[in-house]
Amino acid sequence: MKQASLFTLSLVAAVLATIGCQAPPQPAGPTLGTIPVETPERVNHLWESVENTLLAFNFDVDRRDRVSGIMTTYPETSANGLEIWRVQPAPAYYWWESNLHTIQRQADVYIRQAPSPGSYELEVKVDRYRRSFEERQVDNAAAAMRLYSGEAPTISGQMRTPAESSYWIRLGRDGHMEQAILDAIIKQYNKPTTTAPAS
């Protein structure tokens, strides 16, 4: 009985460990959607819907450029499994990655008039980045204690703090989050709006 439960536990752990072992394919093209926009008021509502959706996905808006038709965000560190109040990365590969590395995402939303009259086209782009540190020289046990400080020299022989020796590696786009943001914008935009009665 004890061996059977131990085997079951090992099997479950192995399945959970291998669920996210393969990276999702990169998007083949842009993530696009078209929304009917009839009036200037609805254009304003579309911009508000984009901003509210980005905030709901834990992004802070950096730039709102209506002339160029773009809204950009600051890079945001992705949630890990313990931050259950934040939007969790999906699919499983991205979730495991965010729990093992420091991953950032940055979102851009392009808002432009579509070729067909009375509608706007949305394009959502989410880039992923992983933080990397230059390796440090460790030649004895005492040096290992200084591995994560600026007291151990880097491989290139420089005395730099971890913040000074770190850099971001672009990993590509997150097609799953792009589609989720686009769907959420359309859902937010289609919600009925209430206007206060004129006094």
Side-chain angles (χ1 to χ4, degrees), residues 15-32:
V15 169
L16 290 175
T18 58
I19 281 176
C21 283
Q22 186 168 349
Q26 282 292 295
T31 303
L32 299 172

Side-chain angles (χ1 to χ4, degrees), residues 85-160:
W85 59 92
R86 299 180 63 202
V87 176
Q88 295 290 315
Y93 179 90
Y94 289 159
W95 186 87
W96 280 109
E97 183 183 50
S98 294
N99 282 275
L100 297 174
H101 302 284
T102 301
I103 302 293
Q104 282 191 342
R105 283 171 169 76
Q106 184 173 5
D108 300 328
V109 180
Y110 301 88
I111 306 162
R112 48 189 173 245
Q113 283 189 318
S116 56
S119 60
Y120 271 67
E121 184 180 74
L122 294 176
E123 179 183 346
V124 181
K125 181 183 175 190
V126 178
D127 288 312
R128 297 168 45 248
Y129 301 88
R130 181 177 65 229
R131 191 173 188 188
S132 185
F133 294 89
E134 186 177 356
E135 292 185 29
R136 297 191 175 270
Q137 298 179 27
V138 178
D139 52 7
N140 56 51
M145 300 293 290
R146 302 190 300 269
L147 185 61
Y148 298 104
S149 71
E151 297 176 13
T154 62
I155 291 296
S156 58
Q158 299 177 344
M159 299 296 291
R160 299 195 299 171

